Amino acid sequence: MNQGSDGAEEDDLPRYISAHEVAERAGVSRSAVSRTFTHGASVSKATREKVMKAAEELGYQVNDLARGLLANRSQLVGMIASDPETPFRTLQISALSRQLVERGRVPVLIPTDTSETASQASHATLLRYRAEATIVLSGMPSKAFIELAQRNGQPLIAVGRNEEGPDHVRVNNARAAETAVQVFAARGMRRIGLVTSHVGSPNLIERERAYIQRAGELGLEIIVERADRTDYDGGYLAASSLLARAVEGAFCVNDLMAFGLIDYARNVLGVSVPNDLSVIGFDDVPEARWGAYRLTTFQQDADRLASEIIRVLEARLRDPGAPSIVSQLDLPLIFRNTVKPLENGRTIG
């Protein structure tokens, strides 16, 4: 066996059927093969049939990556996400990846943290590989990150952000937070809590501001507890301080924090949910439906969100010079078992 320059045995290297081999098998020119696999190109029916038959016999597949790079259209779409292991982020990445593939795109996931260095490195990687667009699924990007995309002319879709420049897909955090306050107020609650974190992403800030403002308008007492992280442990730790203040209802900025709060309330303090404490979450991850929680929560539908992201992406690619697109989705409140019913049987959503 022969060895390549890097010491690898050539027989061990992957070998792909070439367009030249298809041309030889079909008895046509190399350019005829290229035209056959180019949408809209002129090629006779007889030639197309011969080429397709040869390609099937040989197992030939078009090298879309090489073709895309030559045309300056790689079909690659980058997805930058922090905390990809969390339940909602996992659903989001899965739904978006699936829908991108269905439309002939090649999704590339780059996990990152929230640091400036990491986000810059992530985007630089996508620029080097000539990704057609970048979709940011986290509490990023920074201003410098956005400027890098704009200097290179790469479309950037920010999910859950509010900077000027890129296209945006958002959820209506303010309306959800206001609805949570109204649900508690309608049940006669006067002291309510908010469980959030120090992360300070735009989504969390919007929920907190709207919640506090609406509670103030209704004359309710607000107690805010912040954990270091927006996860189950954060909710569990925040619960000890929050519940010592005898709150009647608590809005958690995501379901994971709500799960931690509920478990602490029930298992450590013996508090009844929802009789003594009503809890509302945010996301509606699959675990929210589990019998241990049956959590009342705002539903972020990952498939619906992915469809909207792709709608914005396709609109941007059709018209690169159009003004920035801003899309906002309202979220339904799914009532389950963690909010006590109204005395008259009505619900407020």
Side-chain angles (χ1 to χ4, degrees), residues 242-311:
L242 183 71
L243 299 181
R245 307 284 295 277
V247 298
E248 301 165 276
F251 173 45
C252 301
V253 293
N254 71 10
D255 290 347
L256 290 181
M257 300 197 87
F259 299 152
L261 173 71
I262 291 170
D263 284 346
Y264 187 94
R266 287 172 172 168
N267 302 331
V268 177
L269 301 180
V271 171
S272 173
V273 177
N275 294 329
D276 301 322
L277 173 70
S278 290
V279 180
I280 297 176
F282 198 104
D283 283 339
D284 195 27
V285 298
E287 295 85 347
R289 300 190 294 272
W290 290 3
Y293 299 110
R294 297 295 300 160
L295 178 66
T296 294
T297 184
F298 291 95
Q299 184 183 67
Q300 284 208 79
D301 186 313
D303 286 308
R304 178 188 176 210
L305 183 59
S307 295
E308 187 61 14
I309 292 170
I310 288 178
R311 185 192 70 80

Side-chain angles (χ1 to χ4, degrees), residues 52 118 145 174 243:
M52 296 305 293
F145 186 101
L243 299 181

Side-chain angles (χ1 to χ4, degrees), residues 3-207:
Q3 288 190 335
S5 60
D6 61 354
E9 294 180 345
E10 291 181 356
D11 290 349
D12 293 334
L13 298 176
R15 179 184 177 279
Y16 299 99
I17 301 298
S18 69
H20 179 73
E21 292 172 276
V22 175
E24 288 188 335
R25 172 69 68 94
V28 299
S29 66
R30 170 64 179 79
S31 62
V33 175
S34 178
R35 292 196 305 276
T36 298
F37 288 99
T38 299
H39 180 71
S42 176
V43 60
S44 70
K45 180 180 178 181
T47 298
R48 183 181 299 279
E49 289 176 350
K50 287 192 291 184
V51 170
M52 296 305 293
K53 182 175 184 293
E56 182 177 356
E57 291 172 351
L58 293 171
Y60 171 73
Q61 294 293 326
V62 176
N63 188 340
D64 281 331
L65 179 59
R67 176 176 290 191
L69 291 175
L70 287 172
N72 203 28
R73 295 200 63 178
S74 67
Q75 304 293 322
L76 298 177
V77 175
M79 300 183 297
I80 296 180
S82 61
D83 300 322
E85 72 283 356
T86 57
F88 181 72
R89 187 76 71 223
T90 298
L91 292 172
Q92 190 179 43
I93 292 169
S94 175
L96 184 55
S97 298
R98 183 174 62 255
Q99 293 193 31
L100 285 168
V101 169
E102 288 171 354
R103 289 160 177 78
R105 305 285 175 182
V106 181
V108 178
L109 173 64
I110 299 186
T112 185
D113 58 36
T114 57
S115 69
E116 177 74 16
T117 300
S119 62
Q120 290 281 2
S122 299
H123 200 206
T125 297
L126 293 173
L127 289 171
R128 287 198 301 271
Y129 282 92
R130 300 298 188 267
E132 286 194 69
T134 295
I135 302 169
V136 180
L137 301 174
S138 307
M140 297 180 299
S142 67
K143 182 178 179 181
F145 186 101
I146 292 173
E147 289 174 349
L148 178 61
Q150 292 174 329
R151 285 199 305 271
N152 285 272
Q154 185 191 63
L156 178 65
I157 300 175
V159 180
R161 295 293 297 186
N162 51 24
E163 297 92 347
E164 293 185 5
D167 296 319
H168 288 278
V169 176
R170 303 169 181 159
V171 298
N172 197 333
N173 292 297
R175 179 170 294 178
E178 291 165 358
T179 298
V181 173
Q182 291 165 200
V183 167
F184 294 147
R187 288 153 176 78
M189 300 176 192
R190 305 303 301 170
R191 177 179 289 182
I192 61 176
L194 174 70
V195 180
T196 184
S197 73
H198 294 292
V199 171
S201 70
N203 279 326
L204 301 190
I205 292 171
E206 287 177 5
R207 290 168 206 170

